[in-house]
Amino acid sequence: MPDVLVLGATGTTGSRVLAGLRERGVKTRAATRKPVEPGQIRFDWTDRSSHADAVRDVRAVYLVAPIGVAEPLSLVEPFVADARTAGVRRVVLLSSSAVTEDTPGLGALQRLVRTEMPEWTVLRPSWFMQNFTGEHLVAQGVRAGEIVTATGDARVAFVDAADIAAVAVRALTDGEPHNTDHVVTGPETLSYAETAEIIARHTGRPVRHRTVTPDEFAERLRNDGLPAEYAAMLAALDEYIERGAEDRVTQTVERVTGTPARSFRTFVKEEIR
């Protein structure tokens, strides 16, 4: 019988949460839209019939909201109701440091798990270090030599997805429920210009940061194929950073896991070639 259902099990944090749980010997169920490996189960936010099999005999859920949906409550609320009916007691929600319960759209999910689940945790991580690798627009900018944002010279405490996952694993498995939100950051704040300088120094290739207006940034995102509402939300988050809201460091990773958070310079050294 699986103890924990991991939604988004092939994603940036979900895959790491899944691995961390299995390292601890926790029985897991990996949910994904397109299962291709043994142990994976089909899960589709828009197909409620897939929810019952996902939550059957599960004690806790790692919940990642549907990607690219600016107003996800109508999809997530029925799932949470199905989970409670099936006997799930604990939900750990991946949210964002920029989101509170009062934030339109994503904020409603924080209120939902707090009020509807007997045991809950909201993870509010800062921006991922992994955005600088893979296919993220920032990573594409790194490879092209120019990172474009609407953040100005404001600073962010970029955080490693592995550190987020480590906090999630504790929240899912600790005997006592956390019943709180955790703002999860890396150990220092950096501007995008500083991240570009660190990457350029490490790789020997030129990388710079160029700032644009939020409207210009939203247009870039739309041109990259994102829905207009979601592009506007992401541009607003850059504007939120530009106002200084992410210029903060917390000790959550070390306090919850006992291990210090990974630094951006270490991440670049080990992950960017």
PDB file of all heavy atoms in Angstrom, residues 4-31:
ATOM      1  N   VAL A   4       2.423   7.660   0.140  1.00  0.00           N
ATOM      2  CA  VAL A   4       2.453   9.026  -0.361  1.00  0.00           C
ATOM      3  C   VAL A   4       2.225   9.038  -1.871  1.00  0.00           C
ATOM      4  O   VAL A   4       2.872   8.296  -2.617  1.00  0.00           O
ATOM      5  CB  VAL A   4       3.796   9.710  -0.035  1.00  0.00           C
ATOM      6  CG1 VAL A   4       3.812  11.140  -0.575  1.00  0.00           C
ATOM      7  CG2 VAL A   4       4.057   9.714   1.471  1.00  0.00           C
ATOM      8  N   LEU A   5       1.307   9.895  -2.296  1.00  0.00           N
ATOM      9  CA  LEU A   5       1.088  10.173  -3.713  1.00  0.00           C
ATOM     10  C   LEU A   5       1.886  11.416  -4.080  1.00  0.00           C
ATOM     11  O   LEU A   5       1.767  12.446  -3.416  1.00  0.00           O
ATOM     12  CB  LEU A   5      -0.396  10.407  -3.988  1.00  0.00           C
ATOM     13  CG  LEU A   5      -0.759  10.972  -5.367  1.00  0.00           C
ATOM     14  CD1 LEU A   5      -0.496   9.945  -6.457  1.00  0.00           C
ATOM     15  CD2 LEU A   5      -2.221  11.436  -5.381  1.00  0.00           C
ATOM     16  N   VAL A   6       2.676  11.332  -5.141  1.00  0.00           N
ATOM     17  CA  VAL A   6       3.449  12.476  -5.615  1.00  0.00           C
ATOM     18  C   VAL A   6       2.885  12.913  -6.959  1.00  0.00           C
ATOM     19  O   VAL A   6       2.981  12.187  -7.956  1.00  0.00           O
ATOM     20  CB  VAL A   6       4.948  12.127  -5.760  1.00  0.00           C
ATOM     21  CG1 VAL A   6       5.720  13.334  -6.305  1.00  0.00           C
ATOM     22  CG2 VAL A   6       5.520  11.681  -4.417  1.00  0.00           C
ATOM     23  N   LEU A   7       2.250  14.091  -6.981  1.00  0.00           N
ATOM     24  CA  LEU A   7       1.786  14.670  -8.233  1.00  0.00           C
ATOM     25  C   LEU A   7       2.960  15.364  -8.935  1.00  0.00           C
ATOM     26  O   LEU A   7       3.883  15.834  -8.283  1.00  0.00           O
ATOM     27  CB  LEU A   7       0.659  15.668  -7.989  1.00  0.00           C
ATOM     28  CG  LEU A   7      -0.602  15.147  -7.296  1.00  0.00           C
ATOM     29  CD1 LEU A   7      -1.670  16.235  -7.247  1.00  0.00           C
ATOM     30  CD2 LEU A   7      -1.145  13.905  -7.982  1.00  0.00           C
ATOM     31  N   GLY A   8       2.893  15.424 -10.247  1.00  0.00           N
ATOM     32  CA  GLY A   8       4.007  16.011 -10.984  1.00  0.00           C
ATOM     33  C   GLY A   8       5.280  15.236 -10.752  1.00  0.00           C
ATOM     34  O   GLY A   8       6.369  15.808 -10.620  1.00  0.00           O
ATOM     35  N   ALA A   9       5.166  13.904 -10.724  1.00  0.00           N
ATOM     36  CA  ALA A   9       6.278  13.060 -10.287  1.00  0.00           C
ATOM     37  C   ALA A   9       7.468  13.061 -11.234  1.00  0.00           C
ATOM     38  O   ALA A   9       8.553  12.612 -10.861  1.00  0.00           O
ATOM     39  CB  ALA A   9       5.789  11.624 -10.080  1.00  0.00           C
ATOM     40  N   THR A  10       7.273  13.550 -12.457  1.00  0.00           N
ATOM     41  CA  THR A  10       8.404  13.647 -13.381  1.00  0.00           C
ATOM     42  C   THR A  10       8.932  15.076 -13.487  1.00  0.00           C
ATOM     43  O   THR A  10       9.838  15.336 -14.272  1.00  0.00           O
ATOM     44  CB  THR A  10       7.990  13.162 -14.789  1.00  0.00           C
ATOM     45  OG1 THR A  10       6.912  13.982 -15.275  1.00  0.00           O
ATOM     46  CG2 THR A  10       7.535  11.702 -14.749  1.00  0.00           C
ATOM     47  N   GLY A  11       8.391  15.989 -12.684  1.00  0.00           N
ATOM     48  CA  GLY A  11       8.767  17.392 -12.759  1.00  0.00           C
ATOM     49  C   GLY A  11       9.988  17.741 -11.934  1.00  0.00           C
ATOM     50  O   GLY A  11      10.618  16.880 -11.302  1.00  0.00           O
ATOM     51  N   THR A  12      10.286  19.031 -11.889  1.00  0.00           N
ATOM     52  CA  THR A  12      11.521  19.506 -11.250  1.00  0.00           C
ATOM     53  C   THR A  12      11.585  19.154  -9.778  1.00  0.00           C
ATOM     54  O   THR A  12      12.599  18.636  -9.296  1.00  0.00           O
ATOM     55  CB  THR A  12      11.655  21.024 -11.431  1.00  0.00           C
ATOM     56  OG1 THR A  12      11.632  21.333 -12.826  1.00  0.00           O
ATOM     57  CG2 THR A  12      12.961  21.536 -10.830  1.00  0.00           C
ATOM     58  N   THR A  13      10.531  19.441  -9.028  1.00  0.00           N
ATOM     59  CA  THR A  13      10.540  19.088  -7.608  1.00  0.00           C
ATOM     60  C   THR A  13       9.954  17.710  -7.378  1.00  0.00           C
ATOM     61  O   THR A  13      10.441  16.959  -6.523  1.00  0.00           O
ATOM     62  CB  THR A  13       9.759  20.120  -6.767  1.00  0.00           C
ATOM     63  OG1 THR A  13       8.388  20.138  -7.183  1.00  0.00           O
ATOM     64  CG2 THR A  13      10.368  21.502  -6.890  1.00  0.00           C
ATOM     65  N   GLY A  14       8.903  17.346  -8.128  1.00  0.00           N
ATOM     66  CA  GLY A  14       8.245  16.062  -7.899  1.00  0.00           C
ATOM     67  C   GLY A  14       9.181  14.883  -8.038  1.00  0.00           C
ATOM     68  O   GLY A  14       9.147  13.947  -7.225  1.00  0.00           O
ATOM     69  N   SER A  15      10.039  14.910  -9.047  1.00  0.00           N
ATOM     70  CA  SER A  15      10.982  13.805  -9.238  1.00  0.00           C
ATOM     71  C   SER A  15      11.949  13.699  -8.068  1.00  0.00           C
ATOM     72  O   SER A  15      12.316  12.599  -7.641  1.00  0.00           O
ATOM     73  CB  SER A  15      11.757  13.986 -10.544  1.00  0.00           C
ATOM     74  OG  SER A  15      12.499  15.191 -10.545  1.00  0.00           O
ATOM     75  N   ARG A  16      12.333  14.839  -7.518  1.00  0.00           N
ATOM     76  CA  ARG A  16      13.264  14.837  -6.390  1.00  0.00           C
ATOM     77  C   ARG A  16      12.562  14.425  -5.097  1.00  0.00           C
ATOM     78  O   ARG A  16      13.154  13.749  -4.246  1.00  0.00           O
ATOM     79  CB  ARG A  16      13.907  16.223  -6.253  1.00  0.00           C
ATOM     80  CG  ARG A  16      14.879  16.544  -7.388  1.00  0.00           C
ATOM     81  CD  ARG A  16      15.264  18.024  -7.427  1.00  0.00           C
ATOM     82  NE  ARG A  16      16.340  18.296  -8.362  1.00  0.00           N
ATOM     83  CZ  ARG A  16      16.184  18.467  -9.666  1.00  0.00           C
ATOM     84  NH1 ARG A  16      14.954  18.403 -10.182  1.00  0.00           N
ATOM     85  NH2 ARG A  16      17.220  18.711 -10.449  1.00  0.00           N
ATOM     86  N   VAL A  17      11.311  14.836  -4.927  1.00  0.00           N
ATOM     87  CA  VAL A  17      10.535  14.388  -3.770  1.00  0.00           C
ATOM     88  C   VAL A  17      10.371  12.872  -3.825  1.00  0.00           C
ATOM     89  O   VAL A  17      10.546  12.171  -2.820  1.00  0.00           O
ATOM     90  CB  VAL A  17       9.162  15.085  -3.727  1.00  0.00           C
ATOM     91  CG1 VAL A  17       8.255  14.445  -2.687  1.00  0.00           C
ATOM     92  CG2 VAL A  17       9.338  16.573  -3.438  1.00  0.00           C
ATOM     93  N   LEU A  18      10.025  12.363  -4.997  1.00  0.00           N
ATOM     94  CA  LEU A  18       9.846  10.925  -5.164  1.00  0.00           C
ATOM     95  C   LEU A  18      11.120  10.172  -4.793  1.00  0.00           C
ATOM     96  O   LEU A  18      11.081   9.181  -4.050  1.00  0.00           O
ATOM     97  CB  LEU A  18       9.453  10.633  -6.610  1.00  0.00           C
ATOM     98  CG  LEU A  18       8.965   9.230  -6.937  1.00  0.00           C
ATOM     99  CD1 LEU A  18       7.629   8.945  -6.256  1.00  0.00           C
ATOM    100  CD2 LEU A  18       8.833   9.054  -8.449  1.00  0.00           C
ATOM    101  N   ALA A  19      12.256  10.650  -5.287  1.00  0.00           N
ATOM    102  CA  ALA A  19      13.526   9.992  -4.984  1.00  0.00           C
ATOM    103  C   ALA A  19      13.843  10.055  -3.493  1.00  0.00           C
ATOM    104  O   ALA A  19      14.299   9.069  -2.892  1.00  0.00           O
ATOM    105  CB  ALA A  19      14.650  10.640  -5.787  1.00  0.00           C
ATOM    106  N   GLY A  20      13.582  11.212  -2.875  1.00  0.00           N
ATOM    107  CA  GLY A  20      13.862  11.354  -1.453  1.00  0.00           C
ATOM    108  C   GLY A  20      13.000  10.450  -0.594  1.00  0.00           C
ATOM    109  O   GLY A  20      13.470   9.871   0.403  1.00  0.00           O
ATOM    110  N   LEU A  21      11.740  10.298  -0.961  1.00  0.00           N
ATOM    111  CA  LEU A  21      10.851   9.400  -0.225  1.00  0.00           C
ATOM    112  C   LEU A  21      11.310   7.954  -0.357  1.00  0.00           C
ATOM    113  O   LEU A  21      11.328   7.196   0.624  1.00  0.00           O
ATOM    114  CB  LEU A  21       9.419   9.551  -0.742  1.00  0.00           C
ATOM    115  CG  LEU A  21       8.715  10.869  -0.430  1.00  0.00           C
ATOM    116  CD1 LEU A  21       7.428  10.990  -1.232  1.00  0.00           C
ATOM    117  CD2 LEU A  21       8.409  10.979   1.072  1.00  0.00           C
ATOM    118  N   ARG A  22      11.667   7.568  -1.554  1.00  0.00           N
ATOM    119  CA  ARG A  22      12.100   6.185  -1.779  1.00  0.00           C
ATOM    120  C   ARG A  22      13.401   5.879  -1.061  1.00  0.00           C
ATOM    121  O   ARG A  22      13.607   4.754  -0.584  1.00  0.00           O
ATOM    122  CB  ARG A  22      12.207   5.919  -3.277  1.00  0.00           C
ATOM    123  CG  ARG A  22      10.824   5.850  -3.952  1.00  0.00           C
ATOM    124  CD  ARG A  22      10.881   5.708  -5.451  1.00  0.00           C
ATOM    125  NE  ARG A  22       9.535   5.501  -6.004  1.00  0.00           N
ATOM    126  CZ  ARG A  22       9.256   5.497  -7.291  1.00  0.00           C
ATOM    127  NH1 ARG A  22      10.223   5.697  -8.189  1.00  0.00           N
ATOM    128  NH2 ARG A  22       8.011   5.301  -7.705  1.00  0.00           N
ATOM    129  N   GLU A  23      14.283   6.874  -0.972  1.00  0.00           N
ATOM    130  CA  GLU A  23      15.524   6.690  -0.207  1.00  0.00           C
ATOM    131  C   GLU A  23      15.226   6.396   1.261  1.00  0.00           C
ATOM    132  O   GLU A  23      15.981   5.690   1.932  1.00  0.00           O
ATOM    133  CB  GLU A  23      16.405   7.924  -0.334  1.00  0.00           C
ATOM    134  CG  GLU A  23      17.095   8.063  -1.679  1.00  0.00           C
ATOM    135  CD  GLU A  23      17.860   9.365  -1.789  1.00  0.00           C
ATOM    136  OE1 GLU A  23      17.933  10.110  -0.773  1.00  0.00           O
ATOM    137  OE2 GLU A  23      18.386   9.648  -2.891  1.00  0.00           O
ATOM    138  N   ARG A  24      14.129   6.934   1.759  1.00  0.00           N
ATOM    139  CA  ARG A  24      13.728   6.702   3.141  1.00  0.00           C
ATOM    140  C   ARG A  24      12.905   5.438   3.304  1.00  0.00           C
ATOM    141  O   ARG A  24      12.468   5.120   4.410  1.00  0.00           O
ATOM    142  CB  ARG A  24      12.900   7.891   3.643  1.00  0.00           C
ATOM    143  CG  ARG A  24      13.709   9.136   3.935  1.00  0.00           C
ATOM    144  CD  ARG A  24      12.808  10.322   4.243  1.00  0.00           C
ATOM    145  NE  ARG A  24      13.567  11.406   4.843  1.00  0.00           N
ATOM    146  CZ  ARG A  24      13.519  11.736   6.129  1.00  0.00           C
ATOM    147  NH1 ARG A  24      12.725  11.072   6.960  1.00  0.00           N
ATOM    148  NH2 ARG A  24      14.235  12.721   6.607  1.00  0.00           N
ATOM    149  N   GLY A  25      12.662   4.737   2.222  1.00  0.00           N
ATOM    150  CA  GLY A  25      11.890   3.515   2.282  1.00  0.00           C
ATOM    151  C   GLY A  25      10.388   3.729   2.318  1.00  0.00           C
ATOM    152  O   GLY A  25       9.629   2.812   2.664  1.00  0.00           O
ATOM    153  N   VAL A  26       9.942   4.950   1.955  1.00  0.00           N
ATOM    154  CA  VAL A  26       8.513   5.255   1.959  1.00  0.00           C
ATOM    155  C   VAL A  26       7.883   4.686   0.688  1.00  0.00           C
ATOM    156  O   VAL A  26       8.405   4.872  -0.416  1.00  0.00           O
ATOM    157  CB  VAL A  26       8.281   6.777   2.031  1.00  0.00           C
ATOM    158  CG1 VAL A  26       6.789   7.102   1.959  1.00  0.00           C
ATOM    159  CG2 VAL A  26       8.888   7.342   3.304  1.00  0.00           C
ATOM    160  N   LYS A  27       6.766   4.021   0.833  1.00  0.00           N
ATOM    161  CA  LYS A  27       6.051   3.514  -0.335  1.00  0.00           C
ATOM    162  C   LYS A  27       5.354   4.679  -1.031  1.00  0.00           C
ATOM    163  O   LYS A  27       4.674   5.481  -0.392  1.00  0.00           O
ATOM    164  CB  LYS A  27       5.031   2.462   0.087  1.00  0.00           C
ATOM    165  CG  LYS A  27       5.674   1.210   0.674  1.00  0.00           C
ATOM    166  CD  LYS A  27       4.617   0.206   1.093  1.00  0.00           C
ATOM    167  CE  LYS A  27       5.257  -1.044   1.679  1.00  0.00           C
ATOM    168  NZ  LYS A  27       4.232  -2.033   2.117  1.00  0.00           N
ATOM    169  N   THR A  28       5.539   4.757  -2.338  1.00  0.00           N
ATOM    170  CA  THR A  28       5.065   5.913  -3.080  1.00  0.00           C
ATOM    171  C   THR A  28       4.208   5.496  -4.275  1.00  0.00           C
ATOM    172  O   THR A  28       4.279   4.368  -4.753  1.00  0.00           O
ATOM    173  CB  THR A  28       6.246   6.749  -3.599  1.00  0.00           C
ATOM    174  OG1 THR A  28       7.056   5.928  -4.444  1.00  0.00           O
ATOM    175  CG2 THR A  28       7.080   7.290  -2.449  1.00  0.00           C
ATOM    176  N   ARG A  29       3.434   6.459  -4.740  1.00  0.00           N
ATOM    177  CA  ARG A  29       2.701   6.336  -6.003  1.00  0.00           C
ATOM    178  C   ARG A  29       3.028   7.574  -6.816  1.00  0.00           C
ATOM    179  O   ARG A  29       2.804   8.703  -6.361  1.00  0.00           O
ATOM    180  CB  ARG A  29       1.208   6.211  -5.760  1.00  0.00           C
ATOM    181  CG  ARG A  29       0.367   6.117  -7.045  1.00  0.00           C
ATOM    182  CD  ARG A  29      -1.088   5.879  -6.698  1.00  0.00           C
ATOM    183  NE  ARG A  29      -1.294   4.551  -6.148  1.00  0.00           N
ATOM    184  CZ  ARG A  29      -2.290   4.218  -5.337  1.00  0.00           C
ATOM    185  NH1 ARG A  29      -3.168   5.136  -4.952  1.00  0.00           N
ATOM    186  NH2 ARG A  29      -2.409   2.985  -4.899  1.00  0.00           N
ATOM    187  N   ALA A  30       3.576   7.366  -8.018  1.00  0.00           N
ATOM    188  CA  ALA A  30       4.019   8.468  -8.864  1.00  0.00           C
ATOM    189  C   ALA A  30       2.951   8.789  -9.898  1.00  0.00           C
ATOM    190  O   ALA A  30       2.601   7.942 -10.723  1.00  0.00           O
ATOM    191  CB  ALA A  30       5.327   8.104  -9.557  1.00  0.00           C
ATOM    192  N   ALA A  31       2.418  10.006  -9.854  1.00  0.00           N
ATOM    193  CA  ALA A  31       1.350  10.408 -10.762  1.00  0.00           C
ATOM    194  C   ALA A  31       1.901  11.297 -11.866  1.00  0.00           C
ATOM    195  O   ALA A  31       2.681  12.218 -11.616  1.00  0.00           O
ATOM    196  CB  ALA A  31       0.260  11.151 -10.000  1.00  0.00           C
TER     197      ALA A  31
END
